[in-house]
Amino acid sequence: MLSEARILEINGILADINPERLGKMPLRKLQTIKVKETGVRDNECFCRPDKRQKWYAKFLEWYEANA
C-alpha cells in the first residue's frame, strides 16, 4: 500500500505526462518510486517509444493495484 505522500508525488508526475508522447525523465522518476516501494530492481530501458508505452501501461496497473 502506498503512502498518501507517495500517491501525491506520483499524481503530480502523472499530471505532467502526455501519454501519447512519453518522455524518459518522468518515466525514470516513476521507475525510481516503484523500485523504492517494491524493493525489486527494474533495469528497463526507455530508449524506444514502444518500450516506454509498455512500461507505462504496466506501471499504471501496478499503481491502481497499490493506491
Side-chain angles (χ1 to χ4, degrees), residues 6-64:
R6 194 63 89 179
I7 290 172
L8 290 174
E9 182 180 2
I10 292 171
N11 285 338
I13 296 169
L14 291 177
D16 293 338
I17 290 180
N18 178 359
E20 294 176 10
R21 186 175 164 96
L22 293 170
K24 292 179 189 176
M25 294 308 293
L27 294 182
R28 285 283 176 215
K29 291 177 185 176
L30 293 174
Q31 185 181 43
T32 301
I33 292 170
K34 186 177 177 186
V35 168
K36 287 179 183 175
E37 290 295 323
T38 62
V40 177
R41 193 165 173 188
D42 183 359
N43 290 333
E44 186 67 40
C45 173
F46 296 130
C47 25
R48 292 191 353 228
D50 61 321
K51 285 189 172 193
R52 288 182 226 155
Q53 291 287 345
K54 287 179 186 177
W55 189 90
Y56 182 67
K58 288 180 186 177
F59 177 83
L60 290 178
E61 289 175 16
W62 172 82
Y63 177 61
E64 292 296 322

